[in-house]
Amino acid sequence: MRIFLDDSRCRHNLVPLTHTRHVADIRVGILTIREKWQHLTGKTIVTDPASVRDSDLVMPAGLLPSLHNVDTLLKASRDKISVFDDQDHEIRRIQYPWHIYQHNDWALRRDFELLTRGRQSAPVSSTNRLIEPAGVFLEQGAVMEYCIINASTGPVYIGKNAELMEGCLVRGALALCEGAIMKMGTRTYGATTLGPYSTAGGEIKNSVFQSYSNKAHDGYLGDSVIGSWCNLGAGTSNSNVKNTGGMVKYITGNEHDMVPAGQKAGLIMGDYSRAAINTSFNTGTIVGVCCNIFGSRLPPKFIPSFSWGDERYDIEKAIQDIDNWKKMKSQSLSDDEKKLLYELYLTIN
């Protein structure tokens, strides 16, 4: 038996993140949705509609499986019935990008339970100060010295070869995934996820980095989702609450429809986008794929993909710039990535 994760009904509403990935490859909690299903079931996960077989179980890709709901979800798929009731506290799904940070606390706690059950944490150095040590788990190769960790508010997961430099202050829940780094004096509040090989600094609250992205310096980031291979320059901050305390609405898609997201709503940034030093993002801002944001004015609340300041990013320059950033982490753009970017450049905006 295989599991087909179908994103046909939710993919459009999850742009800009789904411009460059299947919904199953969105990270929420510690793991991506695909990784959750693999860990929980041990089954082959299929995402290409062209390869689906009649025997495959079909699951909406935006559903978040856990130890507590996976049997219910699998039975519903086998019986071809819908039990995906959003009022059930053990059923969560992402339908818009902001659901990623809104459900991150729930997902992080359940991923922590899944990944650590029956296992023992690597030793925690005595230089650290822990509140609720049972809620702190270090994978092999993780480095953490002279930090203060409060896991009474949520679990703290430190992945393989991840590092918390001296003076970090953590209030769970937190996931520092494989190879990620928190620089000296970083302050994080739950529920925050720093995806693989991301770098964090300054103050971060209830935000999710997909992978290989940087917010390495001072500045505030709250209630936000940052894609892969993004960079926030020194001093960059975002607003996550309106001065009126009222409902925040995001501008979504090319139609510029306004969708309410709640009283706290920060920055949504697509892959390969970057912001210059001291950029200030307004409440409820969406940045597309492959944007270079700079200038003295407050950026607009909707920045189309392939924006270079107020102009259109030249695609050849965009690809060269992305490759330059990738080289900083000993990688390079693959031919498939370049092909996708060329296609996006011609089809979106």
Side-chain angles (χ1 to χ4, degrees):
M1 182 189 75
R2 308 186 309 173
I3 298 174
F4 170 54
L5 298 181
D6 180 12
D7 74 348
S8 60
R9 295 186 179 182
C10 59
R11 183 178 184 85
H12 175 74
N13 287 338
L14 284 161
V15 296
L17 298 171
T18 47
H19 280 321
T20 47
R21 62 172 59 73
H22 193 281
V23 170
D25 295 314
I26 291 175
R27 186 175 308 278
V28 52
I30 303 174
L31 303 169
T32 66
I33 298 173
R34 182 195 303 268
E35 290 168 344
K36 297 178 200 295
W37 283 108
Q38 289 172 334
H39 277 275
L40 286 161
T41 68
K43 306 297 183 182
T44 298
I45 307 302
V46 182
T47 55
D48 181 3
S51 66
V52 176
R53 305 169 184 167
D54 291 340
S55 59
D56 291 339
L57 289 181
V58 180
M59 201 69 62
L63 280 170
L64 306 181
S66 73
L67 286 168
H68 303 283
N69 69 22
V70 65
D71 290 338
T72 299
L73 298 180
L74 291 173
K75 184 178 187 303
S77 180
R78 284 193 294 266
D79 295 344
K80 294 181 170 47
I81 60 174
S82 177
V83 294
F84 309 137
D85 183 358
D86 290 335
Q87 301 304 311
D88 185 334
H89 76 283
E90 273 305 325
I91 304 293
R92 295 286 192 282
R93 72 175 83 200
I94 55 170
Q95 296 172 288
Y96 291 99
W98 48 92
H99 291 162
I100 296 169
Y101 63 74
Q102 289 175 348
H103 294 325
N104 200 47
D105 185 83
W106 182 93
L108 201 156
R109 292 171 188 269
R110 281 147 185 80
D111 285 353
F112 184 89
E113 180 183 10
L114 172 63
L115 292 175
T116 64
R117 59 176 177 163
R119 301 177 61 212
Q120 186 173 354
S121 170
V124 177
S125 169
S126 61
T127 66
N128 299 288
R129 293 295 177 263
L130 307 184
I131 302 173
E132 296 288 345
V136 179
F137 191 94
L138 274 66
E139 297 284 4
Q140 292 298 319
V143 177
M144 183 172 72
E145 300 284 354
Y146 295 98
C147 297
I148 299 176
I149 312 295
N150 182 358
S152 69
T153 54
V156 174
Y157 176 86
I158 312 300
K160 179 181 178 183
N161 298 327
E163 181 179 5
L164 286 84
M165 295 182 181
E166 308 90 273
C168 288
L169 305 176
V170 172
R171 188 175 179 87
L174 172 76
L176 192 66
C177 298
E178 180 176 354
I181 296 173
M182 285 176 57
K183 297 180 73 175
M184 290 192 298
T186 302
R187 293 94 66 205
T188 62
Y189 301 82
T192 289
T193 296
L194 299 173
Y197 303 98
S198 293
T199 301
E203 183 181 5
I204 303 173
K205 174 252 181 187
N206 192 36
S207 296
V208 179
F209 290 65
Q210 292 300 305
S211 61
Y212 291 97
S213 288
N214 303 322
K215 180 203 170 300
H217 305 288
D218 282 339
Y220 175 75
L221 185 73
D223 300 288
S224 297
V225 181
I226 306 299
S228 296
W229 296 103
C230 296
N231 188 74
L232 302 181
T236 295
S237 291
N238 80 292
S239 168
N240 61 338
V241 180
K242 295 175 70 173
N243 283 348
T244 62
M247 176 68 67
V248 182
K249 296 180 180 180
Y250 284 99
I251 300 172
T252 62
N254 293 329
E255 298 83 9
H256 287 204
D257 294 330
M258 301 290 289
V259 182
Q263 285 183 292
K264 292 189 176 183
L267 172 66
I268 308 293
M269 178 175 279
D271 291 357
Y272 309 119
S273 288
R274 302 175 297 280
I277 63 170
N278 295 323
T279 302
S280 295
F281 288 104
N282 212 331
T283 318
T285 293
I286 291 184
V287 176
V289 171
C290 197
C291 295
N292 192 352
I293 301 159
F294 57 88
S296 58
R297 296 184 293 108
L298 193 70
K301 291 186 64 172
F302 182 85
I303 301 176
S305 295
F306 298 101
S307 291
W308 170 274
D310 295 329
E311 301 177 6
R312 176 84 159 161
Y313 215 147
D314 177 80
I315 185 59
E316 297 297 337
K317 179 170 176 52
I319 286 176
Q320 182 59 62
D321 292 346
I322 293 169
D323 203 45
N324 290 340
W325 278 96
K326 284 206 158 195
K327 287 176 182 176
M328 294 184 192
K329 297 197 177 187
S330 301
Q331 294 200 30
S332 60
L333 266 174
S334 68
D335 290 340
D336 287 342
E337 288 174 309
K338 291 178 183 178
K339 180 182 177 182
L340 175 60
L341 287 170
Y342 280 117
E343 290 173 353
L344 286 172
Y345 192 80
L346 294 174
T347 57
I348 63 179
N349 296 337

